[in-house]
Amino acid sequence: MLTGLHIVFLGGDARHLEIIRSFTDLDANVVVIGYEDLHEQLLEVQHSKLTREVLRNADVLILPVVGTDDHGRVESSFSSETLLLNKEYMSSLPKHAKVCTGIAKSYLRNLCVELGIDLIELFSRDDVAIYNSIPTAEGALLMAIQHTDITIHGSCCMVLGLGRIGLTLAGMLQRLGAHVKAGVQKPEQFARAWEMGIEPFYTKDLYDEGVNVDIIFNTVPAQILTSRVLTRIPHHAIIIDLASKPGGTDFRFAEKRGIKALLAPSLPGLVAPRTAGRILARTLCQLVQDERSQDREQMDSLASSSGL
């Protein structure tokens, strides 16, 4: 249980509703900021504006999956107000407080380092990223089905990047009967693709590999589908770019060539927010509980050594 612990949610989307419910179920004191337009009732939750006083009492500050932008702005799906997490607000947090997000940009990282605040990036954990790859891959498949006039079965699909999302997606496509090609950069990834029965190639050869492809899924967070590469992609092909903004595709040139290219970051929050929220909630709650148990053990140890 987390009785007496103060958890502050600043911004967020539908995934965070599951996280909020998980913390209230554990008897934590929960304050939400930027949820005034939410059209459902959150039980045992206090609504607040962003103030230094609220942050002074926070043991944990939970931000959206992308944290802040490069200027400290925080997104909320449930508010039209601008939420700005600047140094003044961050310095109000207690020294023991934790800041939790999915992926932090340099603005948030630098601010936490400067102020000596612990920052937890959930998507840097393999377990969270692997669990999260499931709704991401399912969302990508949904987009492919919606925006093509062919079946996945029998199509030629290319997955660029064979990381945690790429592996899950390639496996799903293969099980649906697609011919799957995987663009990789490392020999061990090449070997893994070959072992899975996927046709591997090195991304440096992408120009020669895109000739007969029907659907391209990109997970590489750098412009890999350049104008030169796109000249080789068939006009009927569709590109679903799963990399974080601005993606890995020259979207301007794709449009000029008549190739449909869709930027689709943060799919879990759009297609399966409940599942994605439960994944994050499970990990966050466990982290906070483990941290609290360690603190209690340290206090007990100090009390024992001092003869109290």
Side-chain angles (χ1 to χ4, degrees):
M1 299 297 286
L2 297 175
T3 306
L5 208 68
H6 292 266
I7 313 291
V8 176
F9 286 80
L10 177 58
D13 55 31
R15 287 171 284 190
H16 288 72
L17 302 181
E18 290 296 322
I19 307 173
I20 289 168
R21 294 186 185 102
S22 294
F23 275 108
T24 55
D25 287 345
L26 290 170
D27 200 33
N29 296 320
V30 175
V31 177
V32 297
I33 303 169
Y35 286 74
E36 58 270 9
D37 295 338
L38 179 64
H39 298 303
E40 65 177 274
Q41 187 177 5
L42 291 173
L43 301 176
E44 301 177 36
V45 167
Q46 176 188 344
H47 289 260
S48 175
K49 297 290 187 181
L50 178 57
T51 67
R52 296 190 65 177
E53 183 179 358
V54 169
L55 296 183
R56 282 193 194 102
N57 296 320
D59 297 302
V60 181
L61 174 63
I62 298 178
L63 299 175
V65 166
V66 187
T68 72
D69 69 7
D70 294 325
H71 305 284
R73 284 188 289 268
V74 178
E75 292 290 331
S76 177
S77 299
F78 310 111
S79 176
S80 57
E81 293 187 10
T82 299
L83 300 172
L84 184 64
L85 186 62
N86 55 28
K87 184 177 179 180
E88 179 183 359
Y89 284 123
M90 283 286 286
S91 62
S92 302
L93 290 169
K95 288 298 181 183
H96 71 270
K98 312 289 183 187
V99 175
C100 299
T101 185
I103 302 173
K105 295 195 174 184
S106 56
Y107 173 90
L108 181 60
R109 283 200 196 104
N110 294 338
L111 206 51
C112 287
V113 169
E114 181 182 351
L115 297 173
I117 297 171
D118 286 343
L119 175 64
I120 298 172
E121 296 183 69
L122 291 175
F123 289 165
S124 66
R125 292 173 52 116
D126 279 338
D127 57 345
V128 174
I130 291 169
Y131 286 132
N132 201 60
S133 72
I134 299 169
T136 301
E138 287 191 6
L141 291 176
L142 174 64
M143 291 187 69
I145 292 168
Q146 289 175 330
H147 292 279
T148 58
D149 56 4
I150 59 174
T151 59
I152 299 294
H153 188 283
S155 67
C156 181
C157 295
M158 179 183 287
V159 177
L160 299 176
L162 213 57
R164 293 165 294 197
I165 292 174
L167 277 171
T168 299
L169 180 56
M172 286 186 180
L173 289 166
Q174 191 178 44
R175 290 189 290 274
L176 285 171
H179 171 70
V180 185
K181 303 171 68 173
V184 303
Q185 291 183 317
K186 300 176 182 179
E188 58 267 33
Q189 295 171 331
F190 193 101
R192 175 57 67 193
W194 181 85
E195 179 274 330
M196 293 173 64
I198 293 168
E199 181 184 340
F201 67 91
Y202 288 105
T203 51
K204 64 182 178 62
D205 300 321
L206 180 55
Y207 176 79
D208 298 316
E209 294 290 337
V211 181
N212 297 314
V213 72
D214 296 309
I215 309 170
I216 300 174
F217 300 90
N218 176 55
T219 69
V220 179
Q223 192 165 104
I224 187 170
L225 290 163
T226 62
S227 57
R228 178 175 179 271
V229 170
L230 291 172
T231 61
R232 299 279 282 178
I233 304 298
H235 289 280
H236 74 268
I238 180 173
I239 298 169
I240 299 174
D241 201 323
L242 303 173
S244 55
K245 292 181 181 179
T249 305
D250 187 335
F251 289 96
R252 182 199 64 82
F253 191 78
E255 183 178 8
K256 183 178 179 180
R257 275 213 78 214
I259 298 171
K260 184 180 291 186
L262 306 170
L263 181 61
S266 303
L267 275 180
L270 297 174
V271 300
R274 182 173 297 178
T275 297
R278 286 173 179 170
I279 290 168
L280 297 174
R282 182 169 59 242
T283 303
L284 267 173
C285 289
Q286 190 61 55
L287 282 171
V288 173
Q289 286 179 309
D290 290 347
E291 187 77 25
R292 196 174 210 203
S293 296
Q294 290 174 9
D295 290 343
R296 284 176 173 171
E297 287 175 5
Q298 290 176 356
M299 290 178 63
D300 290 343
S301 178
L302 288 172
S304 177
S305 63
S306 60
L308 297 178

